[in-house]
Amino acid sequence: MPAPIPAAVVTDHLREDNIMKTPLPDDPRIAVIGLGYVGLPLAIEFARHFPVVGLDIDPARIDELERGIDRTLEVPAEDLAAARTRFRPTIDPGALRACDTFIVTVPTPIDRFRQPDLGPLRRASETVAGALTAGAVVIYESTVYPGATEEDCVPILERVSGLVCNRDFSVGYSPERVNPGDTAHRIPDIIKITAGSTSDTADFVDALYQTITRVGTYRAESIRVAEAAKVIENTQRDVNIGLVNELAMLFHRLGLDTDAVLRAAGTKWNFLPFRPGLVGGHCIGVDPYYLTQKAQAVDFHPDMILAGRRTNDGMGRYIAERIMKLMTQRCIGVVGSRILVLGATFKEDCPDLRNSQVAAIVGELQAFRAGVEIHDPWADPAAVQAEMGVEAVAAPAHGAYDAIILAVGHQCFRERGAAGVRKWLREPGVLYDVKAVFAPTASDERL
């Protein structure tokens, strides 16, 4: 990743003589760049008030949206239909030229070396820059390290457009807080942090987001503050889950049931209700690496953050090793065995496979030449095959498996119950309950 732009260059964008010469939009014409889990719900909410162009690079995604289908299940078909007159999904970057307010919601993943990958964000900035005109505002929602908007994105916007930030156009930041599969916390019910590169832009961004939230906004002191606030939201959760995962491994050695210990400790009013498990998805397992990369760039080593990451990244291997040990104790050979994993998505009751740590369990078992299958009614079978390299079975056969791992606590698995799940086992099969869905005596072991 390129070194950050020197501080002198960054602050040059904020000089007092760089004063916007063109008024900010009075009646915004919005473009949302990236129509995934974050961008589509945002575009639909804004389309209740403004004309919105939604740009995505996936033609299949645009085709589905034009037919009223959202594969992420975040936006109901009736909401897509209601937005049809104000929302235009497209793969054509030329459509952005009709807009003056650009909201970037592309992914900010990590690469195979767990380094931040700003490629999608940089490419989106280049696309937006090609449509920039005087007075435009570019707002970023993608999760980044503190300083990325002004250090990485603004120079691209200026270079490609030929315009100057805070003189000809300005930038804002309002971090996404989407929680896939959560029907209680939707965009209108989430406080939105807002920030801008000038005071006028900060006012504009804050007023814009107030149109789509019922619970208000929080105006941060600067873009860097807003970026930092977002990245620590999930870093905090990651560290706490890492602690509880480590405790779960300790309690197993001590012969204690982790769930029982957490329930007892939870009777204290200020005990934090974190639970052990697999940490995946687009945020919690990714955001800490953005913060640690920035920390290391300023010669600071974040011991606690990285310790939590090491623990959480190792949970897939730990669970696979526990399964194989239980199988061996029952004289079940791992090589050539048949193992069923229940759940592939990164969390319950949603189709999101991004960064699912179920893949780590599968990979470890396959390394020991076990045969692995996945059953997940929420996940697209083709996507499971592509992401994890294993078959997704629609209906597991009764009495066919040497071991079953309940990896994701989908409601359909809870309703089936331990007895129903055990019907898929052959004797003396092993049932491992990662999510503590069933009673302690109903499974052979649980995390």
Side-chain angles (χ1 to χ4, degrees):
M1 184 175 184
I5 292 174
V9 176
V10 174
T11 55
D12 185 64
H13 294 299
L14 305 178
R15 281 170 27 195
E16 289 300 322
D17 56 347
N18 279 354
I19 299 172
M20 289 286 290
K21 295 182 178 181
T22 306
L24 296 169
D26 287 329
D27 189 13
R29 291 163 294 157
I30 295 174
V32 175
I33 295 85
L35 296 177
Y37 281 87
V38 175
L40 180 64
L42 187 71
I44 296 304
E45 288 300 328
F46 274 124
R48 301 180 192 276
H49 308 277
F50 311 101
V52 177
V53 171
L55 181 69
D56 201 275
I57 61 173
D58 182 1
R61 174 70 162 157
I62 298 303
D63 178 66
E64 290 171 355
L65 293 176
E66 288 177 339
R67 292 185 287 117
I69 300 170
D70 172 25
R71 70 176 73 148
T72 69
L73 306 182
E74 291 298 301
V75 177
E78 57 268 25
D79 288 353
L80 280 174
R84 185 175 296 275
T85 59
R86 284 180 167 268
F87 172 56
R88 178 192 170 193
T90 182
I91 61 169
D92 178 17
L96 301 185
R97 296 192 187 100
C99 302
D100 52 29
T101 304
F102 305 88
I103 305 177
V104 178
T105 62
V106 298
T108 44
I110 53 176
D111 62 21
R112 63 192 182 96
F113 302 109
R114 298 192 175 100
Q115 293 296 306
D117 178 8
L118 291 181
L121 192 66
R122 293 189 176 113
R123 290 189 291 273
S125 296
E126 290 175 348
T127 299
V128 168
L132 277 186
T133 55
V137 178
V138 185
I139 304 167
Y140 290 89
E141 287 218 1
S142 305
T143 302
V144 291
Y145 57 79
T149 298
E150 290 155 314
E151 294 169 8
D152 288 88
C153 300
V154 165
I156 293 173
L157 296 172
E158 291 187 321
R159 173 177 54 81
V160 176
S161 70
L163 304 176
V164 176
C165 185
N166 293 339
R167 187 191 72 188
D168 306 310
F169 72 93
S170 57
V171 294
Y173 189 76
S174 182
E176 61 90 3
R177 283 176 162 173
V178 168
N179 188 23
D182 186 346
T183 58
H185 300 94
R186 313 304 278 178
I187 289 175
D189 308 305
I190 299 172
I191 294 174
K192 286 288 286 177
I193 296 174
T194 66
S197 58
T198 71
S199 59
D200 286 346
T201 304
D203 289 340
F204 172 82
V205 174
D206 197 67
L208 182 68
Y209 279 93
Q210 284 184 22
T211 64
I212 61 170
T213 176
R214 291 187 287 261
V215 292
T217 58
Y218 179 90
R219 180 170 162 173
E221 286 80 356
S222 68
I223 288 176
R224 287 167 60 87
V225 167
E227 291 167 329
K230 167 57 182 175
V231 80
I232 71 165
E233 289 174 11
N234 290 314
T235 299
Q236 175 185 249
R237 289 181 57 77
D238 190 48
V239 169
N240 278 285
I241 296 170
L243 169 63
V244 179
N245 275 335
E246 191 169 84
L247 290 173
M249 291 185 279
L250 170 62
F251 292 153
H252 172 74
R253 292 198 180 190
L254 296 176
L256 292 168
D257 179 69
T258 302
D259 185 61
V261 174
L262 293 177
R263 281 188 282 108
T267 59
K268 190 170 187 285
W269 65 90
N270 60 353
F271 184 80
L272 302 177
F274 288 94
R275 301 192 58 81
L278 300 169
V279 180
H282 67 301
C283 285
I284 299 178
V286 173
D287 294 358
Y289 289 116
Y290 277 77
L291 189 56
T292 56
Q293 191 275 343
K294 187 64 173 180
Q296 291 165 350
V298 295
D299 197 28
F300 181 84
H301 187 76
D303 292 313
M304 183 175 292
I305 297 172
L306 289 173
R309 277 284 77 228
R310 284 193 297 271
T311 297
N312 291 336
D313 278 343
M315 291 309 294
R317 173 178 291 183
Y318 172 79
I319 291 167
E321 288 174 349
R322 288 303 310 155
I323 291 291
M324 291 187 286
K325 186 170 184 177
L326 289 168
M327 291 172 65
T328 302
Q329 289 172 343
R330 297 191 178 189
C331 300
I332 304 172
V334 175
V335 176
S337 63
R338 195 174 176 187
I339 299 176
L340 178 66
V341 178
L342 297 179
T345 61
F346 90 89
K347 64 180 291 188
E348 65 278 0
D349 300 331
C350 84
D352 196 346
L353 289 169
R354 289 175 298 171
N355 196 34
S356 172
Q357 294 304 295
V358 173
I361 300 175
V362 170
E364 194 70 16
L365 293 173
Q366 288 179 321
F368 285 85
R369 298 173 60 190
V372 183
E373 300 170 18
I374 288 177
H375 173 55
D376 191 333
W378 280 90
D380 175 60
V384 171
Q385 179 71 48
E387 290 284 331
M388 303 186 184
V390 297
E391 180 185 2
V393 296
H398 281 207
Y401 300 96
D402 299 296
I404 294 178
I405 306 169
L406 178 59
V408 185
H410 291 319
Q411 185 61 32
C412 57
F413 299 149
R414 295 174 182 272
E415 292 173 353
R416 186 175 184 87
V421 168
R422 281 193 174 276
K423 290 180 180 178
W424 292 325
L425 282 173
R426 63 166 66 106
E427 292 298 330
V430 171
L431 172 59
Y432 189 96
D433 185 358
V434 174
K435 300 295 292 183
V437 167
F438 306 133
T441 56
S443 59
D444 297 291
E445 189 173 305
R446 60 184 189 171
L447 185 61

PDB file of all heavy atoms in Angstrom, residues 119-151:
ATOM      1  N   GLY A 119      -8.185  -0.822  -3.331  1.00  0.00           N
ATOM      2  CA  GLY A 119      -8.404  -0.831  -4.772  1.00  0.00           C
ATOM      3  C   GLY A 119      -9.815  -0.439  -5.179  1.00  0.00           C
ATOM      4  O   GLY A 119      -9.986   0.458  -6.032  1.00  0.00           O
ATOM      5  N   PRO A 120     -10.856  -1.069  -4.622  1.00  0.00           N
ATOM      6  CA  PRO A 120     -12.219  -0.675  -4.997  1.00  0.00           C
ATOM      7  C   PRO A 120     -12.521   0.792  -4.689  1.00  0.00           C
ATOM      8  O   PRO A 120     -13.201   1.467  -5.471  1.00  0.00           O
ATOM      9  CB  PRO A 120     -13.102  -1.608  -4.151  1.00  0.00           C
ATOM     10  CG  PRO A 120     -12.243  -2.800  -3.881  1.00  0.00           C
ATOM     11  CD  PRO A 120     -10.853  -2.254  -3.734  1.00  0.00           C
ATOM     12  N   LEU A 121     -11.995   1.292  -3.568  1.00  0.00           N
ATOM     13  CA  LEU A 121     -12.248   2.688  -3.194  1.00  0.00           C
ATOM     14  C   LEU A 121     -11.548   3.640  -4.159  1.00  0.00           C
ATOM     15  O   LEU A 121     -12.118   4.660  -4.568  1.00  0.00           O
ATOM     16  CB  LEU A 121     -11.755   2.924  -1.767  1.00  0.00           C
ATOM     17  CG  LEU A 121     -12.185   4.229  -1.107  1.00  0.00           C
ATOM     18  CD1 LEU A 121     -13.684   4.252  -0.883  1.00  0.00           C
ATOM     19  CD2 LEU A 121     -11.445   4.430   0.211  1.00  0.00           C
ATOM     20  N   ARG A 122     -10.331   3.303  -4.547  1.00  0.00           N
ATOM     21  CA  ARG A 122      -9.601   4.162  -5.484  1.00  0.00           C
ATOM     22  C   ARG A 122     -10.262   4.169  -6.853  1.00  0.00           C
ATOM     23  O   ARG A 122     -10.378   5.218  -7.494  1.00  0.00           O
ATOM     24  CB  ARG A 122      -8.152   3.693  -5.573  1.00  0.00           C
ATOM     25  CG  ARG A 122      -7.348   3.902  -4.285  1.00  0.00           C
ATOM     26  CD  ARG A 122      -5.883   3.620  -4.504  1.00  0.00           C
ATOM     27  NE  ARG A 122      -5.107   3.908  -3.293  1.00  0.00           N
ATOM     28  CZ  ARG A 122      -4.490   2.980  -2.569  1.00  0.00           C
ATOM     29  NH1 ARG A 122      -4.551   1.706  -2.934  1.00  0.00           N
ATOM     30  NH2 ARG A 122      -3.815   3.314  -1.495  1.00  0.00           N
ATOM     31  N   ARG A 123     -10.694   2.982  -7.317  1.00  0.00           N
ATOM     32  CA  ARG A 123     -11.348   2.918  -8.628  1.00  0.00           C
ATOM     33  C   ARG A 123     -12.669   3.676  -8.612  1.00  0.00           C
ATOM     34  O   ARG A 123     -13.027   4.356  -9.592  1.00  0.00           O
ATOM     35  CB  ARG A 123     -11.552   1.458  -9.038  1.00  0.00           C
ATOM     36  CG  ARG A 123     -10.239   0.754  -9.385  1.00  0.00           C
ATOM     37  CD  ARG A 123     -10.487  -0.601  -9.999  1.00  0.00           C
ATOM     38  NE  ARG A 123     -11.040  -1.556  -9.053  1.00  0.00           N
ATOM     39  CZ  ARG A 123     -10.300  -2.322  -8.241  1.00  0.00           C
ATOM     40  NH1 ARG A 123      -8.973  -2.223  -8.248  1.00  0.00           N
ATOM     41  NH2 ARG A 123     -10.877  -3.186  -7.421  1.00  0.00           N
ATOM     42  N   ALA A 124     -13.416   3.575  -7.502  1.00  0.00           N
ATOM     43  CA  ALA A 124     -14.667   4.328  -7.390  1.00  0.00           C
ATOM     44  C   ALA A 124     -14.397   5.829  -7.406  1.00  0.00           C
ATOM     45  O   ALA A 124     -15.151   6.609  -8.007  1.00  0.00           O
ATOM     46  CB  ALA A 124     -15.402   3.934  -6.111  1.00  0.00           C
ATOM     47  N   SER A 125     -13.310   6.245  -6.759  1.00  0.00           N
ATOM     48  CA  SER A 125     -12.960   7.670  -6.740  1.00  0.00           C
ATOM     49  C   SER A 125     -12.619   8.149  -8.145  1.00  0.00           C
ATOM     50  O   SER A 125     -12.986   9.269  -8.534  1.00  0.00           O
ATOM     51  CB  SER A 125     -11.776   7.907  -5.797  1.00  0.00           C
ATOM     52  OG  SER A 125     -12.122   7.601  -4.458  1.00  0.00           O
ATOM     53  N   GLU A 126     -11.925   7.332  -8.918  1.00  0.00           N
ATOM     54  CA  GLU A 126     -11.619   7.698 -10.301  1.00  0.00           C
ATOM     55  C   GLU A 126     -12.895   7.847 -11.124  1.00  0.00           C
ATOM     56  O   GLU A 126     -13.031   8.772 -11.933  1.00  0.00           O
ATOM     57  CB  GLU A 126     -10.713   6.640 -10.924  1.00  0.00           C
ATOM     58  CG  GLU A 126      -9.300   6.630 -10.354  1.00  0.00           C
ATOM     59  CD  GLU A 126      -8.464   5.488 -10.904  1.00  0.00           C
ATOM     60  OE1 GLU A 126      -9.044   4.581 -11.545  1.00  0.00           O
ATOM     61  OE2 GLU A 126      -7.237   5.494 -10.697  1.00  0.00           O
ATOM     62  N   THR A 127     -13.841   6.927 -10.910  1.00  0.00           N
ATOM     63  CA  THR A 127     -15.110   6.986 -11.639  1.00  0.00           C
ATOM     64  C   THR A 127     -15.875   8.260 -11.294  1.00  0.00           C
ATOM     65  O   THR A 127     -16.392   8.956 -12.178  1.00  0.00           O
ATOM     66  CB  THR A 127     -15.964   5.749 -11.316  1.00  0.00           C
ATOM     67  OG1 THR A 127     -15.261   4.572 -11.723  1.00  0.00           O
ATOM     68  CG2 THR A 127     -17.305   5.804 -12.031  1.00  0.00           C
ATOM     69  N   VAL A 128     -15.951   8.558 -10.005  1.00  0.00           N
ATOM     70  CA  VAL A 128     -16.657   9.767  -9.570  1.00  0.00           C
ATOM     71  C   VAL A 128     -15.961  11.009 -10.114  1.00  0.00           C
ATOM     72  O   VAL A 128     -16.612  11.957 -10.586  1.00  0.00           O
ATOM     73  CB  VAL A 128     -16.730   9.824  -8.032  1.00  0.00           C
ATOM     74  CG1 VAL A 128     -17.193  11.199  -7.554  1.00  0.00           C
ATOM     75  CG2 VAL A 128     -17.674   8.742  -7.504  1.00  0.00           C
ATOM     76  N   ALA A 129     -14.642  11.012 -10.076  1.00  0.00           N
ATOM     77  CA  ALA A 129     -13.891  12.180 -10.530  1.00  0.00           C
ATOM     78  C   ALA A 129     -14.193  12.516 -11.990  1.00  0.00           C
ATOM     79  O   ALA A 129     -14.201  13.686 -12.375  1.00  0.00           O
ATOM     80  CB  ALA A 129     -12.398  11.948 -10.347  1.00  0.00           C
ATOM     81  N   GLY A 130     -14.480  11.476 -12.791  1.00  0.00           N
ATOM     82  CA  GLY A 130     -14.802  11.711 -14.184  1.00  0.00           C
ATOM     83  C   GLY A 130     -16.113  12.439 -14.389  1.00  0.00           C
ATOM     84  O   GLY A 130     -16.379  12.939 -15.492  1.00  0.00           O
ATOM     85  N   ALA A 131     -16.938  12.505 -13.338  1.00  0.00           N
ATOM     86  CA  ALA A 131     -18.234  13.175 -13.443  1.00  0.00           C
ATOM     87  C   ALA A 131     -18.326  14.433 -12.599  1.00  0.00           C
ATOM     88  O   ALA A 131     -19.376  15.071 -12.549  1.00  0.00           O
ATOM     89  CB  ALA A 131     -19.351  12.200 -13.034  1.00  0.00           C
ATOM     90  N   LEU A 132     -17.239  14.796 -11.911  1.00  0.00           N
ATOM     91  CA  LEU A 132     -17.279  15.945 -11.004  1.00  0.00           C
ATOM     92  C   LEU A 132     -17.440  17.260 -11.756  1.00  0.00           C
ATOM     93  O   LEU A 132     -16.816  17.481 -12.798  1.00  0.00           O
ATOM     94  CB  LEU A 132     -16.001  16.013 -10.169  1.00  0.00           C
ATOM     95  CG  LEU A 132     -15.902  15.155  -8.915  1.00  0.00           C
ATOM     96  CD1 LEU A 132     -14.620  15.474  -8.167  1.00  0.00           C
ATOM     97  CD2 LEU A 132     -17.102  15.357  -8.006  1.00  0.00           C
ATOM     98  N   THR A 133     -18.276  18.109 -11.195  1.00  0.00           N
ATOM     99  CA  THR A 133     -18.424  19.478 -11.689  1.00  0.00           C
ATOM    100  C   THR A 133     -18.324  20.428 -10.498  1.00  0.00           C
ATOM    101  O   THR A 133     -18.366  20.008  -9.336  1.00  0.00           O
ATOM    102  CB  THR A 133     -19.778  19.672 -12.394  1.00  0.00           C
ATOM    103  OG1 THR A 133     -20.832  19.282 -11.498  1.00  0.00           O
ATOM    104  CG2 THR A 133     -19.856  18.843 -13.662  1.00  0.00           C
ATOM    105  N   ALA A 134     -18.196  21.698 -10.788  1.00  0.00           N
ATOM    106  CA  ALA A 134     -18.046  22.693  -9.724  1.00  0.00           C
ATOM    107  C   ALA A 134     -19.237  22.655  -8.773  1.00  0.00           C
ATOM    108  O   ALA A 134     -20.394  22.595  -9.193  1.00  0.00           O
ATOM    109  CB  ALA A 134     -17.904  24.081 -10.327  1.00  0.00           C
ATOM    110  N   GLY A 135     -18.940  22.656  -7.484  1.00  0.00           N
ATOM    111  CA  GLY A 135     -19.974  22.653  -6.452  1.00  0.00           C
ATOM    112  C   GLY A 135     -20.375  21.275  -5.975  1.00  0.00           C
ATOM    113  O   GLY A 135     -21.178  21.151  -5.039  1.00  0.00           O
ATOM    114  N   ALA A 136     -19.811  20.232  -6.593  1.00  0.00           N
ATOM    115  CA  ALA A 136     -20.190  18.860  -6.230  1.00  0.00           C
ATOM    116  C   ALA A 136     -19.662  18.489  -4.846  1.00  0.00           C
ATOM    117  O   ALA A 136     -18.686  19.046  -4.351  1.00  0.00           O
ATOM    118  CB  ALA A 136     -19.665  17.881  -7.277  1.00  0.00           C
ATOM    119  N   VAL A 137     -20.326  17.507  -4.234  1.00  0.00           N
ATOM    120  CA  VAL A 137     -19.912  16.969  -2.943  1.00  0.00           C
ATOM    121  C   VAL A 137     -19.752  15.461  -3.093  1.00  0.00           C
ATOM    122  O   VAL A 137     -20.636  14.789  -3.631  1.00  0.00           O
ATOM    123  CB  VAL A 137     -20.941  17.278  -1.834  1.00  0.00           C
ATOM    124  CG1 VAL A 137     -20.497  16.666  -0.507  1.00  0.00           C
ATOM    125  CG2 VAL A 137     -21.143  18.778  -1.695  1.00  0.00           C
ATOM    126  N   VAL A 138     -18.633  14.935  -2.612  1.00  0.00           N
ATOM    127  CA  VAL A 138     -18.377  13.497  -2.636  1.00  0.00           C
ATOM    128  C   VAL A 138     -18.342  13.007  -1.198  1.00  0.00           C
ATOM    129  O   VAL A 138     -17.518  13.460  -0.397  1.00  0.00           O
ATOM    130  CB  VAL A 138     -17.050  13.164  -3.335  1.00  0.00           C
ATOM    131  CG1 VAL A 138     -16.880  11.643  -3.444  1.00  0.00           C
ATOM    132  CG2 VAL A 138     -16.984  13.815  -4.716  1.00  0.00           C
ATOM    133  N   ILE A 139     -19.236  12.090  -0.861  1.00  0.00           N
ATOM    134  CA  ILE A 139     -19.353  11.567   0.502  1.00  0.00           C
ATOM    135  C   ILE A 139     -18.941  10.101   0.487  1.00  0.00           C
ATOM    136  O   ILE A 139     -19.426   9.317  -0.332  1.00  0.00           O
ATOM    137  CB  ILE A 139     -20.788  11.704   1.024  1.00  0.00           C
ATOM    138  CG1 ILE A 139     -21.253  13.164   0.949  1.00  0.00           C
ATOM    139  CG2 ILE A 139     -20.896  11.178   2.459  1.00  0.00           C
ATOM    140  CD1 ILE A 139     -22.751  13.333   1.151  1.00  0.00           C
ATOM    141  N   TYR A 140     -18.071   9.726   1.409  1.00  0.00           N
ATOM    142  CA  TYR A 140     -17.627   8.331   1.519  1.00  0.00           C
ATOM    143  C   TYR A 140     -18.301   7.672   2.722  1.00  0.00           C
ATOM    144  O   TYR A 140     -18.380   8.258   3.799  1.00  0.00           O
ATOM    145  CB  TYR A 140     -16.109   8.263   1.653  1.00  0.00           C
ATOM    146  CG  TYR A 140     -15.387   8.638   0.377  1.00  0.00           C
ATOM    147  CD1 TYR A 140     -15.048   9.976   0.122  1.00  0.00           C
ATOM    148  CD2 TYR A 140     -15.083   7.687  -0.577  1.00  0.00           C
ATOM    149  CE1 TYR A 140     -14.405  10.337  -1.050  1.00  0.00           C
ATOM    150  CE2 TYR A 140     -14.439   8.039  -1.764  1.00  0.00           C
ATOM    151  CZ  TYR A 140     -14.106   9.362  -1.994  1.00  0.00           C
ATOM    152  OH  TYR A 140     -13.482   9.715  -3.171  1.00  0.00           O
ATOM    153  N   GLU A 141     -18.788   6.454   2.499  1.00  0.00           N
ATOM    154  CA  GLU A 141     -19.345   5.658   3.591  1.00  0.00           C
ATOM    155  C   GLU A 141     -18.491   4.428   3.883  1.00  0.00           C
ATOM    156  O   GLU A 141     -18.655   3.777   4.906  1.00  0.00           O
ATOM    157  CB  GLU A 141     -20.779   5.214   3.261  1.00  0.00           C
ATOM    158  CG  GLU A 141     -21.811   6.316   3.342  1.00  0.00           C
ATOM    159  CD  GLU A 141     -23.135   5.829   3.921  1.00  0.00           C
ATOM    160  OE1 GLU A 141     -23.239   4.642   4.267  1.00  0.00           O
ATOM    161  OE2 GLU A 141     -24.058   6.655   4.042  1.00  0.00           O
ATOM    162  N   SER A 142     -17.591   4.078   2.978  1.00  0.00           N
ATOM    163  CA  SER A 142     -16.772   2.888   3.135  1.00  0.00           C
ATOM    164  C   SER A 142     -15.883   2.998   4.371  1.00  0.00           C
ATOM    165  O   SER A 142     -15.363   4.066   4.683  1.00  0.00           O
ATOM    166  CB  SER A 142     -15.899   2.682   1.898  1.00  0.00           C
ATOM    167  OG  SER A 142     -16.688   2.631   0.724  1.00  0.00           O
ATOM    168  N   THR A 143     -15.687   1.880   5.060  1.00  0.00           N
ATOM    169  CA  THR A 143     -14.860   1.865   6.260  1.00  0.00           C
ATOM    170  C   THR A 143     -13.384   1.943   5.878  1.00  0.00           C
ATOM    171  O   THR A 143     -12.899   1.154   5.066  1.00  0.00           O
ATOM    172  CB  THR A 143     -15.111   0.580   7.064  1.00  0.00           C
ATOM    173  OG1 THR A 143     -16.494   0.509   7.403  1.00  0.00           O
ATOM    174  CG2 THR A 143     -14.277   0.570   8.333  1.00  0.00           C
ATOM    175  N   VAL A 144     -12.677   2.893   6.472  1.00  0.00           N
ATOM    176  CA  VAL A 144     -11.268   3.112   6.166  1.00  0.00           C
ATOM    177  C   VAL A 144     -10.515   3.469   7.440  1.00  0.00           C
ATOM    178  O   VAL A 144     -11.104   3.607   8.507  1.00  0.00           O
ATOM    179  CB  VAL A 144     -11.095   4.252   5.135  1.00  0.00           C
ATOM    180  CG1 VAL A 144     -11.627   3.839   3.775  1.00  0.00           C
ATOM    181  CG2 VAL A 144     -11.797   5.537   5.612  1.00  0.00           C
ATOM    182  N   TYR A 145      -9.209   3.609   7.316  1.00  0.00           N
ATOM    183  CA  TYR A 145      -8.422   4.081   8.459  1.00  0.00           C
ATOM    184  C   TYR A 145      -8.523   5.613   8.548  1.00  0.00           C
ATOM    185  O   TYR A 145      -8.843   6.285   7.556  1.00  0.00           O
ATOM    186  CB  TYR A 145      -6.964   3.654   8.333  1.00  0.00           C
ATOM    187  CG  TYR A 145      -6.281   4.108   7.072  1.00  0.00           C
ATOM    188  CD1 TYR A 145      -5.812   5.417   6.936  1.00  0.00           C
ATOM    189  CD2 TYR A 145      -6.084   3.236   6.013  1.00  0.00           C
ATOM    190  CE1 TYR A 145      -5.192   5.841   5.786  1.00  0.00           C
ATOM    191  CE2 TYR A 145      -5.457   3.651   4.848  1.00  0.00           C
ATOM    192  CZ  TYR A 145      -5.011   4.954   4.738  1.00  0.00           C
ATOM    193  OH  TYR A 145      -4.394   5.377   3.596  1.00  0.00           O
ATOM    194  N   PRO A 146      -8.247   6.194   9.706  1.00  0.00           N
ATOM    195  CA  PRO A 146      -8.315   7.655   9.834  1.00  0.00           C
ATOM    196  C   PRO A 146      -7.352   8.340   8.867  1.00  0.00           C
ATOM    197  O   PRO A 146      -6.158   8.060   8.854  1.00  0.00           O
ATOM    198  CB  PRO A 146      -7.900   7.902  11.287  1.00  0.00           C
ATOM    199  CG  PRO A 146      -8.187   6.623  11.990  1.00  0.00           C
ATOM    200  CD  PRO A 146      -7.938   5.535  10.986  1.00  0.00           C
ATOM    201  N   GLY A 147      -7.879   9.221   8.048  1.00  0.00           N
ATOM    202  CA  GLY A 147      -7.079   9.956   7.091  1.00  0.00           C
ATOM    203  C   GLY A 147      -7.227   9.503   5.658  1.00  0.00           C
ATOM    204  O   GLY A 147      -6.792  10.201   4.738  1.00  0.00           O
ATOM    205  N   ALA A 148      -7.852   8.355   5.420  1.00  0.00           N
ATOM    206  CA  ALA A 148      -7.901   7.797   4.067  1.00  0.00           C
ATOM    207  C   ALA A 148      -8.670   8.686   3.087  1.00  0.00           C
ATOM    208  O   ALA A 148      -8.271   8.811   1.922  1.00  0.00           O
ATOM    209  CB  ALA A 148      -8.521   6.402   4.097  1.00  0.00           C
ATOM    210  N   THR A 149      -9.747   9.292   3.536  1.00  0.00           N
ATOM    211  CA  THR A 149     -10.536  10.132   2.626  1.00  0.00           C
ATOM    212  C   THR A 149      -9.671  11.256   2.056  1.00  0.00           C
ATOM    213  O   THR A 149      -9.652  11.495   0.839  1.00  0.00           O
ATOM    214  CB  THR A 149     -11.759  10.721   3.355  1.00  0.00           C
ATOM    215  OG1 THR A 149     -12.601   9.652   3.793  1.00  0.00           O
ATOM    216  CG2 THR A 149     -12.552  11.636   2.433  1.00  0.00           C
ATOM    217  N   GLU A 150      -8.943  11.940   2.928  1.00  0.00           N
ATOM    218  CA  GLU A 150      -8.145  13.082   2.479  1.00  0.00           C
ATOM    219  C   GLU A 150      -6.778  12.684   1.938  1.00  0.00           C
ATOM    220  O   GLU A 150      -6.208  13.380   1.096  1.00  0.00           O
ATOM    221  CB  GLU A 150      -8.003  14.075   3.641  1.00  0.00           C
ATOM    222  CG  GLU A 150      -9.320  14.768   3.952  1.00  0.00           C
ATOM    223  CD  GLU A 150      -9.413  15.268   5.384  1.00  0.00           C
ATOM    224  OE1 GLU A 150      -9.068  14.505   6.304  1.00  0.00           O
ATOM    225  OE2 GLU A 150      -9.832  16.414   5.566  1.00  0.00           O
ATOM    226  N   GLU A 151      -6.240  11.547   2.402  1.00  0.00           N
ATOM    227  CA  GLU A 151      -4.906  11.135   1.965  1.00  0.00           C
ATOM    228  C   GLU A 151      -4.929  10.292   0.694  1.00  0.00           C
ATOM    229  O   GLU A 151      -3.990  10.363  -0.108  1.00  0.00           O
ATOM    230  CB  GLU A 151      -4.212  10.351   3.079  1.00  0.00           C
ATOM    231  CG  GLU A 151      -3.906  11.183   4.308  1.00  0.00           C
ATOM    232  CD  GLU A 151      -3.477  10.338   5.491  1.00  0.00           C
ATOM    233  OE1 GLU A 151      -3.267   9.109   5.307  1.00  0.00           O
ATOM    234  OE2 GLU A 151      -3.357  10.885   6.605  1.00  0.00           O
TER     235      GLU A 151
END
